[in-house]
């Protein structure tokens, strides 16, 4: 047997791992409703036509070579205008996923950390681990807003940056201006930069949406964004890092080298990215109103199910559902719960994929992208399952 590296043992991605188990059941003839993957495509949502047209147009022109490593100059310019920075502050990545990888490679030595929100998007956990960084989290309050007292308390001398994900995966929370201002103050007090994960920036269907770039005046900020969710085009694999403010020169140099070693991002798709940033945003209102309808249904139904509760999301297409105390005693783990639910034909993601800081509580993440009818069916199955157990 050829042994894998120690590093590869540290890699896991529960959102996709669970699918392998679901596929086995599906092969045996079971009707499965997938509430696990945050991809609008399989649920009938399409990228705006003008973005698809730009990709097609690019195929007909000469974009078949390697693009400049740091990105197509027109796309960098479009991002720079959007972000309010200079083109040389922008680096185009293969989705924000690659941007996250680059940030950890550029900023986190063994034993150091980026302080992460709990719960968090699993890729950050994996990247912290494979950097042999120390795992450090700040907690959220009962509405899934960051607990800023905890953040202040937890930052240590090995902390290199603060991660903020708003709108949030997995909770769907959209942080208030007050909370974000407090985080900026804390970053300022500690002389730390902020990493803003804006993957869901445009997907807010309730309340105000504030972006950190409005608030981080003197505090260095790197905004990570992508067309995957905001423009309903995850398959394009186009994202970016935009560095705001001073003190980033050495990190930008490292990111440039990381870009160089992987040569470039698919050039046709970067041309599509330009159309996304420069074109109309009509899809945003339409998509958000569809998401709101689904979220309302999910919220109403979860309230009616004994043993489950959740904080109603204000953005994204995720909700983090809690299996209440009296119920979860029956389950050895969230994986046991999720596996049992698989047998009822519903695929969700175990909460421990997103957090390790709440061992006495149990959660699962739901994606509310399916049609109202299909989501309703999934909730019927979940309700019957909860009654049975
Ligand atoms: C919070 C968050 N950040 C980043 C990403 C990475 O997205 P992509 O690589 O498609 O841009 C995701 C994808 O689900 C996400 O949920």
């Amino acid at each position: 047997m050829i042994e894998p590296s120690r590093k590869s043992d540290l890699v896991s991605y529960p959102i996709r791992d669970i699918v392998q188990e679901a596929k086995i059941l599906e092969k045996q003839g079971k009707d499965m409703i997938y509430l696990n993957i945050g991809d609008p495509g399989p649920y009938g949502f399409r990228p705006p036509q003008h973005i698809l047209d730009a990709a097609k147009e690019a195929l007909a022109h000469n974009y078949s070579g390697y693009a400049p490593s740091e990105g197509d100059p027109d796309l960098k310019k479009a991002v720079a205008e959007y972000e309010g920075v200079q083109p040389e502050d922008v680096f185009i990545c293969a989705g924000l996923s690659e941007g996250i990888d680059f940030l950890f490679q550029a900023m986190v030595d063994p034993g150091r950390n980026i302080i992460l929100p709990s719960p968090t998007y699993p890729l950050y956990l994996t990247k912290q681990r494979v950097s042999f960084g120390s795992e450090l989290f700040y907690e959220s309050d009962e509405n899934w807003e960051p607990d800023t007292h905890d953040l202040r308390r937890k930052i240590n001398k090995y902390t290199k940056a603060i991660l903020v994900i708003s709108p949030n995966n997995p909770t769907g929370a959209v942080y208030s201006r007050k909370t974000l201002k407090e985080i900026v103050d804390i970053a300022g007090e500690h002389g730390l930069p902020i990493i803003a994960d804006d993957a869901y920036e445009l997907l807010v269907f309730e309340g105000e949406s504030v972006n950190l770039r409005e608030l981080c005046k003197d505090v260095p900020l790197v905004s990570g964004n992508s067309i995957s969710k905001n423009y309903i085009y995850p398959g394009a694999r186009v994202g970016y890092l935009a560095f705001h403010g001073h003190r980033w020169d050495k990190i930008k140099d490292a990111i440039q080298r990381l870009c160089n070693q992987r040569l470039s991002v698919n050039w046709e798709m970067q041309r599509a990215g330009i159309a996304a940033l420069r074109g109309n945003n009509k899809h945003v209102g339409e998509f958000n109103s569809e998401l709101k309808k689904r979220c309302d249904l999910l919220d109403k139904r979860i309230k009616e199910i004994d043993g489950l509760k959740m904080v109603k999301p204000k953005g994204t297409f995720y909700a983090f559902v809690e299996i209440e105390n009296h119920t979860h005693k029956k389950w050895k783990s969230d994986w046991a719960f999720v596996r049992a639910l698989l047998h009822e034909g519903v695929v969700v993601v175990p909460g421990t994929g997103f957090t390790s800081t709440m061992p006495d509580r149990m959660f699962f993440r739901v994606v509310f992208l399916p049609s109202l009818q299909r989501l309703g069916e999934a909730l019927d199955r979940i309700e019957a399952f909860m009654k049975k157990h």
Side-chain angles (χ1 to χ4, degrees):
M1 190 68 79
I2 301 166
E3 291 297 324
S5 70
R6 247 188 351 120
K7 237 185 190 182
S8 69
D9 277 346
L10 301 172
V11 175
S12 77
Y13 198 68
I15 297 170
R16 285 181 182 250
D17 295 347
I18 193 76
V19 177
Q20 292 174 0
E21 299 188 30
K23 291 286 175 210
I24 295 171
L25 289 171
E26 200 164 38
K27 262 204 187 131
Q28 293 164 2
K30 182 128 206 112
D31 173 43
M32 304 301 287
I33 306 181
Y34 288 91
L35 305 183
N36 62 312
I37 293 218
D39 180 355
Y43 304 101
F45 296 101
R46 297 276 293 145
Q49 191 57 43
H50 64 276
I51 303 180
L52 294 170
D53 289 344
K56 202 164 154 193
E57 172 84 12
L59 278 175
H61 290 85
N62 192 13
Y63 291 103
S64 52
Y66 290 122
S69 294
E70 66 283 4
D72 177 295
D74 294 336
L75 178 55
K76 276 161 59 90
K77 201 156 162 249
V79 171
E81 282 165 19
Y82 181 76
E83 291 284 341
V85 297
Q86 297 302 313
E88 56 270 25
D89 300 318
V90 175
F91 297 86
I92 307 302
C93 321
L96 179 51
S97 301
E98 188 182 52
I100 295 167
D101 178 48
F102 285 179
L103 285 174
F104 274 87
Q105 290 201 54
M107 297 181 79
V108 182
D109 276 321
R112 306 292 190 268
N113 65 74
I114 291 172
I115 186 164
L116 309 179
S118 175
T120 193
Y121 176 56
L123 183 60
Y124 291 100
L125 299 174
T126 291
K127 292 295 165 195
Q128 190 105 287
R129 284 182 195 138
V130 298
S131 312
F132 299 110
S134 48
E135 288 192 21
L136 193 65
F137 300 91
Y138 59 96
E139 296 300 328
S140 306
D141 69 12
E142 65 284 357
N143 291 315
W144 297 130
E145 286 260 324
D147 176 344
T148 48
H149 297 294
D150 197 54
L151 173 62
R152 194 175 252 116
R153 208 170 39 235
K154 295 272 182 63
I155 288 171
N156 62 36
K157 63 178 179 184
Y158 302 113
T159 303
K160 305 291 288 185
I162 300 169
L163 172 70
V164 179
I165 310 174
S166 177
N168 185 273
N169 178 6
T171 65
V174 179
Y175 301 163
S176 70
R177 181 181 294 272
K178 179 171 171 288
T179 303
L180 292 172
K181 268 190 176 153
E182 278 172 26
I183 295 175
V184 172
D185 288 345
I186 294 167
E189 283 162 28
H190 287 84
L192 289 175
I194 295 180
I195 299 170
D197 181 320
D198 291 337
Y200 301 89
E201 180 181 3
L202 303 179
L203 306 188
V204 176
F205 42 80
E206 205 160 309
E208 188 191 22
S209 161
V210 183
N211 191 283
L212 275 164
R213 71 177 88 82
E214 278 178 47
L215 305 175
C216 279
K217 295 282 177 276
D218 303 319
V219 169
L221 170 75
V222 51
S223 302
N225 211 324
S226 119
I227 72 169
S228 295
K229 321 287 172 155
N230 289 318
Y231 296 91
I232 322 181
Y233 206 166
R237 309 311 301 133
V238 173
Y240 67 79
L241 297 176
F243 291 88
H244 299 249
H246 306 292
R247 294 183 27 214
W248 285 116
D249 285 359
K250 286 185 176 171
I251 299 292
K252 283 194 289 186
D253 180 61
I255 299 282
Q256 179 68 57
R257 282 179 282 121
L258 288 160
C259 287
N260 292 348
Q261 49 96 45
R262 67 83 166 98
L263 302 182
S264 82
V265 173
N266 179 307
W267 207 339
E268 287 96 354
M269 288 305 168
Q270 293 192 64
R271 301 304 294 177
I274 299 167
L277 280 155
R278 293 220 190 274
N280 76 64
N281 265 1
K282 244 177 51 206
H283 71 285
V284 174
E286 289 160 13
F287 192 28
N288 281 335
S289 97
E290 288 300 319
L291 293 177
K292 182 166 172 14
K293 280 189 237 164
R294 288 157 172 76
C295 183
D296 287 345
L297 173 69
L298 177 70
D299 182 55
K300 176 175 168 293
R301 294 291 308 271
I302 293 288
K303 279 198 182 100
E304 291 164 359
I305 300 176
D306 197 26
L308 296 182
K309 69 171 183 189
M310 70 173 210
V311 180
K312 192 178 181 189
K314 294 181 173 166
T316 75
F317 30 70
Y318 307 108
F320 209 43
V321 181
E322 180 157 12
I323 306 155
E324 286 184 296
N325 254 336
H326 64 277
T327 314
H328 94 235
K329 298 275 187 275
K330 294 175 201 154
W331 302 103
K332 269 213 206 86
S333 68
D334 55 345
W335 275 92
F337 178 93
V338 166
R339 285 207 175 97
L341 190 55
L342 270 187
H343 287 269
E344 305 297 321
V346 181
V347 191
V348 296
V349 186
T352 46
F354 304 88
T355 179
S356 57
T357 69
M358 293 180 272
D360 49 343
R361 294 172 71 185
M362 215 180 257
F363 301 92
F364 60 89
R365 192 196 70 173
V366 167
V367 167
F368 53 85
L369 282 166
S371 66
L372 288 172
Q373 194 223 330
R374 200 72 174 141
L375 187 60
E377 270 176 55
L379 286 156
D380 290 343
R381 292 180 192 181
I382 293 173
E383 185 166 22
F385 172 79
M386 292 300 289
K387 278 198 183 123
K388 213 161 65 180
H389 291 92

